[in-house]
Amino acid sequence: MAAKALPTSESLLLAGMDLTEEDIERRKAFLEFREDDVERLRGLNDVAEKYADSVIEDLYEHFLSYEETRAFFKDSATLSRVKKMQKEYFLQLTQGSYGLSYIANRIKVGLVHQRIALDVKWYLGAYNFYLRAVMDRLFEGHTKKPNGAIAVLRSLMKLVFLDISLAIQTYVRTIQQQQAAIRELSTPVLLVRPRLLMVPIIGVIDSQRAQQLTESLLGAIRINRAKVVVMDITGVAAVDSKVANHVIQTVAAARLMGADVIVTGLSADVAQSLVALGVDLSRIKSVGDLQGGLEEAERMLGYQVVPLAERPTAAQRP
Amino acid sequence: MPVPILKQGGVLIVSVQAALTDNDLVALRDDLAEKVGRFRSHGVVIDVSALDVMDSFATRTLRGIAETTALRGAKTVVVGIQPDVAFSMTLLGLTLDGVATALDLDEGMDLLAAPIRRRGDDGA
């Protein structure tokens, strides 16, 4: 990795996106964005200055004529602020410097759009509008030599697609971060009574999480000297043969440590689909709901839960 | 290294102290099969808490011991499997089906004293 001195905020932003200078160069190379493209775009700067305001006006008129995009411009102050920023961006496109600060700027813009929850479809639609608006004006100015206009347009397309890829990456990145956060939600192992543990599982069970779960459960069995474990999978989004196998493995591991596992919360649909899949659940003890599971566990441990009113009085006690 | 077998009432206690070679395991199996008859024991507890590895041969031999002693009238309980050993065993598919298991020696003795619920019998 090139250890060039970058302004900290920019390098942080790039690091957060797992982007290095090398990556950016690779991207540009893939788009065949070269020096002559930079030159061509820089040559367009005068034209851009001239048309900037009209392009931006058209773009925002377009935004305001659709309900979904209009919602993002609540007042005129917001509108004029974003228009100003949009103009800056528009002019940057032809300023010929597409280095790290340009890239960092694109990512920042992408993050802002992602944060205000602008859907990707509107984002891409806006880029399309942009390109068309610029195209129209380019050909107006280049009526004499359309080949020149096409060359400039090709360069501009490369740059715009570079920008789009960066912006979309911020969206994807956020989704990945959220998935990681969900995965890391720990699965608590709770002690309900002496020697009785409960494990409520919520979300998705993949092999990584199943492993984590099994390890923490086995540790808890030893620490609490548990004899019975109630594992509730009501909150597991989808139970297929893979998930069932993870559950079977966890049950087998707990049994090796002398603990019985009762699985609860298999819904009617889940039960039917597991049977249809032919998953061998003969080694799993399963009870319909969590209440039933706890009652069964208490029975196995020799507890009996009696309402206070029905408690045997001293005289009745043997 | 031969594994010591201790007699405690009607129960034989085997405490495995170090990793066993295959020969040790076979010797243990033969020894137990003989002693169960000689002492007229009704139970065998094998404590493996000192082991940090349990391979397929050891698993198979333990099952063999459990089946052999069962034929001689004694129930075998394997106790003290460590959490990470249990985890890697299940990953390898070595689930000791049909062999009773318990957390530690205390639990194993309890299980033999009150064999109401024969763990491991339901699944095998």
Side-chain angles (χ1 to χ4, degrees):
Chain A
M1 238 178 276
K4 270 191 193 165
L6 287 169
T8 29
S9 66
E10 281 166 15
S11 54
L12 270 179
L13 205 52
L14 294 182
M17 299 291 298
D18 287 335
L19 270 180
T20 59
E21 249 174 297
E22 246 167 86
D23 292 330
I24 294 162
E25 286 311 316
R26 289 294 291 167
R27 271 175 208 236
K28 285 184 182 168
F30 190 71
L31 286 164
E32 302 187 317
F33 186 75
R34 302 195 184 102
E35 271 309 305
D36 53 334
D37 292 304
V38 176
E39 281 311 312
R40 237 174 261 132
L41 286 170
R42 198 178 282 142
L44 199 63
N45 194 240
D46 297 338
V47 191
E49 296 265 6
K50 188 171 146 203
Y51 288 115
D53 285 317
S54 74
V55 169
I56 306 278
E57 281 308 318
D58 285 359
L59 179 65
Y60 281 86
E61 200 178 310
H62 187 66
F63 282 161
L64 291 175
S65 54
Y66 286 85
E67 211 181 296
E68 293 90 338
T69 41
R70 187 166 53 222
F72 290 99
F73 311 109
K74 281 173 250 96
D75 47 57
S76 56
T78 316
L79 188 60
S80 59
R81 188 167 49 84
V82 291
K83 270 188 192 173
K84 197 171 144 260
M85 275 159 54
Q86 192 69 253
K87 190 178 169 187
E88 271 169 32
Y89 169 57
F90 186 73
L91 293 176
Q92 265 180 19
L93 282 173
T94 57
Q95 274 163 1
S97 101
Y98 310 110
L100 281 175
S101 67
Y102 180 84
I103 302 288
N105 221 346
R106 297 281 66 76
I107 292 174
K108 219 182 290 173
V109 170
L111 284 174
V112 169
H113 283 118
Q114 183 271 318
R115 202 175 308 135
I116 62 170
L118 176 75
D119 210 290
V120 181
K121 58 190 173 219
W122 310 119
Y123 198 77
L124 290 178
Y127 260 114
N128 183 269
F129 190 91
Y130 227 69
L131 275 176
R132 279 183 287 124
V134 172
M135 213 190 299
D136 291 346
R137 283 164 181 80
L138 255 174
F139 282 103
E140 259 172 49
H142 278 76
T143 37
K144 302 261 166 55
K145 34 175 190 161
N147 278 347
I150 289 172
V152 174
L153 198 61
R154 279 164 58 99
S155 304
L156 185 66
M157 286 268 254
K158 294 176 190 173
L159 182 61
V160 165
F161 269 80
L162 177 68
D163 293 3
I164 291 176
S165 76
L166 290 166
I168 299 299
Q169 196 179 345
T170 62
Y171 281 83
V172 175
R173 175 88 182 161
T174 312
I175 296 170
Q176 285 169 342
Q177 279 170 344
Q178 285 165 347
Q179 280 176 340
I182 293 172
R183 257 200 302 280
E184 277 176 20
L185 282 178
S186 64
T187 306
V189 179
L190 310 166
L191 186 66
V192 183
R193 288 185 199 293
R195 329 210 60 187
L196 170 53
L197 293 176
M198 193 180 113
V199 193
I201 306 176
I202 290 168
V204 180
I205 305 183
D206 53 14
S207 37
Q208 199 192 348
R209 190 165 178 219
Q211 183 177 344
Q212 211 180 325
L213 167 75
T214 310
E215 277 170 8
S216 60
L217 177 62
L218 295 181
I221 287 173
R222 185 164 68 167
I223 291 166
N224 298 301
R225 300 178 54 79
K227 242 187 146 91
V228 183
V229 178
V230 178
M231 190 193 284
D232 184 65
I233 57 168
T234 315
V236 177
V239 182
D240 53 13
S241 55
K242 244 175 140 183
V243 172
N245 281 327
H246 288 316
V247 172
I248 290 171
Q249 264 193 359
T250 309
V251 172
R255 196 192 74 84
L256 286 175
M257 293 194 58
D260 280 317
V261 180
I262 301 172
V263 180
T264 67
L266 285 150
S267 68
D269 288 347
V270 168
Q272 279 183 7
S273 65
L274 286 182
V275 171
L277 284 169
V279 181
D280 177 22
L281 292 171
S282 58
R283 282 192 285 174
I284 285 191
K285 190 176 195 129
S286 167
V287 177
D289 56 9
L290 182 60
Q291 183 186 353
L294 286 174
E295 282 167 2
E296 172 68 17
E298 281 164 346
R299 238 191 321 277
M300 287 163 75
L301 288 168
Y303 288 107
Q304 188 185 16
V305 181
V306 180
L308 277 179
E310 293 170 25
R311 189 173 46 159
T313 57
Q316 288 170 318
R317 261 185 226 133
Chain B
M1 191 188 80
V3 186
I5 298 173
L6 316 172
K7 183 179 163 301
Q8 155 72 43
V11 177
L12 295 179
I13 300 173
V14 180
S15 175
V16 180
Q17 291 302 330
L20 298 176
T21 64
D22 292 358
N23 286 336
D24 292 339
L25 280 163
V26 173
L28 174 66
R29 187 186 62 197
D30 298 347
D31 207 4
L32 271 174
E34 188 262 326
K35 281 196 169 134
V36 160
R38 177 151 36 110
F39 297 125
R40 307 192 66 240
S41 309
H42 73 266
V44 176
V45 178
I46 303 175
D47 182 7
V48 294
S49 51
L51 294 186
D52 45 17
V53 176
M54 186 89 87
D55 61 11
S56 58
F57 187 80
T59 316
R60 204 171 68 225
T61 312
L62 283 179
R63 205 158 68 210
I65 289 173
E67 282 161 8
T68 313
T69 59
L71 289 175
R72 309 264 285 157
K75 181 183 170 70
T76 294
V77 185
V78 176
V79 305
I81 298 177
Q82 297 299 311
D84 39 355
V85 177
F87 186 65
S88 47
M89 281 173 74
T90 47
L91 289 185
L92 294 170
L94 309 171
T95 49
L96 272 180
D97 280 341
V99 181
T101 50
L103 191 71
D104 54 19
L105 187 57
D106 269 351
E107 292 295 311
M109 295 300 274
D110 283 356
L111 195 71
L112 289 175
I116 305 163
R117 202 162 42 86
R118 289 167 62 90
R119 197 186 293 117
D121 286 0
D122 45 334

